Amino acid sequence: MQWRPSLLALAMAGVLSSCRGGNGGGGEPEPQPPAPEPAAYRVTVNTAAARADSRLACFKGNGEAECGLRLYQIMVEAFVDGDSTANYNTGYGTSPHKGDLQGIINSLDYIQSTGVNAVWLTPIFKSVRVAGQNDWADRLDATGYFASDYFNVDPHFGTHDKLKELVAAAHARGMYVFLDGVFGHYKINAQDYASPMGRKVSTTGGSQGDTGRSAVYPDDLEFFKEVAAHWVTEYQIDGWRLDQAYQVPVQYWDDLRAAVADAAASTSYTNQAGQTVHPLGYMVGEIWRSAGEISSQGYGTTASPGLLSVFDFPVRYSLVQTLAVEESGTGNRAASNLHTGYLSQLAYPAHAMPNLMLTNHDVVRFGDLLQRGTLADPTSEAYWARHKAAFSFMASYSGPITLYYGDEIGQELPGFSARESNATCAVNGRCDDHVSRTAAIVEGVPSTVGGAPAVLSAEQASLKSHVAALMALRDAHPALANGSRTHIFSDTNVYIDRKDKGTDHILYVLNTKADPAVITVAGAAIGSAGALAGLLDGAEVVGSGGNYELRLKPFEARFFEIVSPTAEGPQVGEGSDLSGEGPLAGCNTPAVEGLGPLNKEMFIRGSYAGGENFGATPASRRFVYKGNNLYQVVVREPVPTAYTFKFASADWSKEFAVKSSAAVVIATEQTLAVAAGNGTESSIAIPEAGDYVFSFRINATLNGGEMMVSRCE
């Protein structure tokens, strides 16, 4: 999508050009003064916002290799055509659908140059047509996500030997290789393809679409344990990405993890350094749901762990909401929304290793989201600056991260931004859930056999270089991927974290807005008694009077090494009380008969455990009318948690949240506003177990008011 100047702007340009020249003739135009610089946003930070967080696995600084993973996701059928004999020629998305294993091999040097250390391939298992199969089933086969034969490479992608060549070539470049495991469903003819040990899938699972069937556990457990181990032992892959992991009951993930761990322990290969090593055995689940559901359906509990790593969809949404918009079109939120995303991790058990991505094959590319929100397009500096800002946040994240192919060069689909009608989008390859499956642009590599090698624009090359620098920084400073996180400050415009692991102490500062920022931060707030050494720009910041002045351009991120950390670390201000004051904080206000002015039963509807992702209206979260336009419900939160929510009626005719979809600040009265439609919900982090009263007072016009969440004493 490209923006055009308005007719008024064009007319004004004509007027201005006709006024140039002192005598009305054709003389040289008079020089114009430069446009004034926008006024800087200024803020002072005296204390840290929170204490160091080292609860989750990759925040502890134990040095797990999994925490330092930087995956590069490849949609195999859409990526690069390197073999004219291995093509699907159909699929979802706008690519030619000719991608194959040879195309990935041809691209490995480029992939390595982005700074990643692993590749993840979407499924390459063999899909076999069934009688009467239609075009939509053919397209689904090309994705690989409904496999028939789990022990053979799909010839549309290549051969067994070609996969072995790919894995060996990646290992020689210091990159892990992960395959996509679909252990919760398969194609209806999968029972025709027995495993090497003679096992077959069950046939009693429910239908999934026209040609799919659900797996049944524990009936299918031994079959999928054999699948999970086979590709590790036979091809030396390093682990699995797990599609729709919630389809496998959480109690069986421990068995599948053990099968992969045993296979890895019995297998070895030679790495880039010439060392004999075992496959990593990493497994990461896809559960595209709330933090609470990710925890219960993926991670399990501390006493009975399921998966150890799951993609961090909640933080992904916080990231795109802050620097772009989410798919619903809402976004451009405050910088503090990034901290809200981190708070969602309260729902996870301590063994969790969340994996953060910006895009994947099921969501809209970041570049297209910027255009959907009319925030920037590829002709604007902001488009590239916002990309760099988003990648900087990923670089600062404790835990593994995943880059989707093409995002490192700001790839987008020209002419696409608005959500297209369901009636036409699938045929055109432009539905939101597959529009990101575009043909790859790989510098120096043809996208199709016989084509011209791709050439990057200056802006694309600059972004790719910046991403590589961020990945190198993450590799050189273990505090970023495997360190504790201390949240120093965030507000509407700026965000500051400190990361620590051993003697590595890093300050991350991000400006999320279009105005330059000047931040005056106290040394005590960041735990620094000496200079701050710039890690990307090499610029040193020296304190004065106990303070540092940090200057950031629009959307700029800066990383500093804290050269002289204080023994006591960042100093935190007085902790906020979880119990508020006034009528909104009352936990024992008597009820009044009736439904009040809204004349509707109202509920807390949300992504909490048991909330069915906003679908449920449980009695335990039903508001009671207390008179004077006040509605309240006391909720018992048995453990620390985080979720998104609205106050809404059962028929959705009434919907409210914090104004501007801001996060709840516990014990603080906040403005209530109408919140109709997707992407307008608010979020809350419950830091301690206990009883909490959720209250709102509706105004006379029934379109807003005040609200509060307060702990009952």
Side-chain angles (χ1 to χ4, degrees):
M1 184 183 84
Q2 294 190 352
W3 295 344
R4 294 183 175 87
S6 68
L7 292 176
L8 175 61
L10 291 171
M12 287 301 296
V15 170
L16 290 172
S17 64
S18 68
C19 292
R20 291 173 184 158
N23 57 9
E28 291 294 322
E30 295 179 0
Q32 299 297 307
E37 291 289 331
Y41 175 80
R42 294 179 178 272
V43 67
T44 299
V45 180
N46 293 314
T47 56
R51 292 178 174 83
D53 177 8
S54 58
R55 190 178 66 89
L56 298 186
C58 290
F59 291 64
K60 298 181 185 298
N62 292 334
E64 300 93 336
E66 294 87 348
C67 300
L69 284 172
R70 306 181 296 278
L71 285 77
Y72 190 86
Q73 184 198 349
I74 295 170
M75 186 77 192
V76 178
E77 65 88 13
F79 188 64
V80 168
D81 177 19
D83 180 353
S84 59
T85 68
N87 302 311
Y88 254 103
N89 297 315
T90 190
Y92 288 96
T94 60
S95 81
H97 311 294
K98 295 178 181 293
D100 48 53
L101 299 179
Q102 184 62 56
I104 298 169
I105 293 171
N106 296 347
S107 305
L108 284 176
D109 286 340
Y110 168 87
I111 294 170
Q112 183 184 25
S113 74
T114 67
V116 300
N117 62 2
V119 291
W120 148 31
L121 313 185
T122 52
I124 58 170
F125 309 128
K126 185 177 181 180
S127 297
V128 181
R129 299 185 89 252
V130 296
Q133 180 170 309
N134 61 23
D135 175 63
W136 298 111
D138 289 343
R139 295 180 186 225
L140 197 59
D141 282 351
T143 70
Y145 282 106
F146 281 84
S148 305
D149 183 351
Y150 276 87
F151 293 90
N152 282 292
V153 173
D154 192 323
H156 294 91
F157 298 141
T159 64
H160 294 275
D161 287 342
K162 190 59 64 176
L163 177 60
K164 290 182 177 180
E165 179 185 345
L166 190 161
V167 173
H171 286 163
R173 289 167 172 80
M175 293 188 288
Y176 299 107
V177 178
F178 301 102
L179 296 187
D180 208 322
V182 189
F183 300 161
H185 61 264
Y186 36 78
K187 200 164 182 177
I188 55 175
N189 59 1
Q191 71 271 19
D192 297 337
Y193 299 90
S195 76
M197 298 292 291
R199 298 184 176 100
K200 294 185 177 183
V201 296
S202 66
T203 59
T204 58
S207 296
Q208 289 204 15
D210 293 334
T211 59
R213 177 178 290 134
S214 297
V216 176
Y217 282 82
D219 298 15
D220 289 316
L221 178 60
E222 293 304 316
F223 177 87
F224 282 114
K225 284 170 62 177
E226 187 177 345
V227 173
H230 173 84
W231 295 85
V232 176
T233 56
E234 294 299 315
Y235 297 90
Q236 288 78 54
I237 70 162
D238 293 282
W240 296 94
R241 180 263 186 187
L242 304 158
D243 186 62
Q244 297 183 336
Y246 56 86
Q247 294 180 341
V248 176
V250 67
Q251 65 267 30
Y252 297 112
W253 281 120
D254 184 56
D255 298 286
L256 289 161
R257 281 196 297 108
V260 171
D262 290 345
S266 67
T267 307
S268 62
Y269 62 81
T270 302
N271 68 8
Q272 184 183 32
Q275 301 167 323
T276 299
V277 296
H278 296 293
L280 185 60
Y282 174 69
M283 300 171 70
V284 57
E286 178 222 17
I287 300 177
W288 191 355
R289 297 182 174 180
S290 69
E293 290 166 308
I294 289 171
S295 184
S296 63
Q297 298 170 15
Y299 287 124
T301 65
T302 300
S304 186
L307 290 167
L308 303 185
S309 187
V310 180
F311 285 110
D312 200 344
F313 279 93
V315 174
R316 180 266 173 182
Y317 278 100
S318 289
L319 180 54
V320 298
Q321 288 167 351
T322 303
L323 290 167
V325 299
E326 62 170 88
E327 282 73 8
S328 70
T330 64
N332 204 27
R333 295 189 183 179
S336 57
N337 191 51
L338 296 171
H339 179 55
T340 299
Y342 265 120
L343 291 177
S344 69
Q345 295 179 345
L346 284 168
Y348 303 152
H351 65 262
M353 296 180 178
N355 183 320
L356 178 62
M357 74 293 186
L358 183 63
T359 307
N360 67 22
H361 60 292
D362 290 327
V363 299
V364 178
R365 285 190 183 274
F366 187 74
D368 288 314
L369 291 176
L370 288 173
Q371 295 171 84
R372 180 168 292 185
T374 64
L375 297 172
D377 75 1
T379 66
S380 65
E381 291 184 9
Y383 180 89
W384 306 99
R386 285 178 183 263
H387 272 85
K388 291 177 180 178
F391 281 118
S392 78
F393 183 80
M394 294 183 71
S396 74
Y397 180 85
S398 283
I401 59 174
T402 299
L403 281 63
Y404 185 64
Y405 77 95
D407 274 3
E408 76 281 357
I409 58 168
Q411 195 168 343
E412 45 98 37
L413 182 61
F416 172 82
S417 61
R419 187 191 300 267
E420 293 202 8
S421 166
N422 288 337
T424 59
C425 68
V427 173
N428 296 329
R430 296 160 71 97
C431 296
D432 275 9
D433 65 358
H434 60 242
V435 71
S436 65
R437 304 175 194 182
T438 50
I441 300 173
V442 177
E443 185 178 20
V445 176
S447 62
T448 57
V449 173
V455 178
L456 302 185
S457 70
E459 292 83 5
Q460 290 172 329
S462 173
L463 177 58
K464 175 177 173 285
S465 176
H466 188 77
V467 170
L470 289 170
M471 297 304 102
L473 185 70
R474 185 173 167 86
D475 194 40
H477 290 276
L480 295 174
N482 194 207
S484 64
R485 169 183 173 262
T486 302
H487 185 52
I488 304 297
F489 178 80
S490 58
D491 64 359
T492 56
N493 288 44
V494 300
Y495 178 92
I496 309 174
D497 273 347
R498 172 172 156 160
K499 305 296 295 295
D500 296 277
K501 181 183 185 301
T503 59
D504 194 28
H505 311 283
I506 307 299
L507 188 71
Y508 169 63
V509 188
L510 173 64
N511 179 9
T512 68
K513 300 301 179 185
D515 294 326
V518 179
I519 307 167
T520 301
V521 59
I526 60 175
S528 175
L532 301 177
L535 294 176
L536 287 176
D537 56 14
E540 183 179 75
V541 177
V542 178
S544 176
N547 295 321
Y548 300 88
E549 185 177 88
L550 307 179
R551 293 181 172 270
L552 289 92
K553 300 171 186 175
F555 308 113
E556 183 182 16
R558 299 183 71 181
F559 291 81
F560 298 97
E561 182 177 6
I562 299 174
V563 177
S564 301
T566 60
E568 58 272 18
Q571 297 301 290
V572 182
E574 294 184 8
S576 59
D577 197 339
L578 297 179
S579 299
E581 297 180 350
L584 292 175
C587 295
N588 300 301
T589 306
V592 173
E593 187 175 348
L595 297 175
L598 290 175
N599 200 32
K600 291 277 186 180
E601 283 194 330
M602 297 293 292
F603 301 85
I604 305 171
R605 304 186 69 171
S607 61
Y608 49 80
E612 297 178 10
N613 201 23
F614 289 81
T617 53
S620 61
R621 293 179 185 259
R622 182 177 61 221
F623 283 96
V624 176
Y625 184 57
K626 302 297 183 74
N628 296 319
N629 287 22
L630 178 65
Y631 294 78
Q632 291 184 313
V633 58
V634 175
V635 175
R636 170 150 293 182
E637 301 286 6
V639 294
T641 188
Y643 50 85
T644 55
F645 72 95
K646 290 183 181 182
F647 300 156
S649 58
D651 62 1
W652 291 106
S653 62
K654 306 292 183 184
E655 300 179 61
F656 302 96
V658 183
K659 185 179 179 181
S660 301
S661 299
V664 167
V665 180
I666 294 179
T668 301
E669 184 176 303
Q670 295 174 272
T671 302
L672 182 78
V674 172
N678 295 330
T680 58
E681 63 278 356
S682 290
S683 59
I684 184 169
I686 304 291
E688 299 176 6
D691 291 339
Y692 290 81
V693 61
F694 288 69
S695 306
F696 71 94
R697 182 187 291 111
I698 197 72
N699 60 20
T701 55
L702 309 184
N703 64 354
E706 302 82 41
M707 66 153 294
M708 181 188 290
V709 179
S710 174
R711 185 172 180 178
C712 298
E713 296 180 324

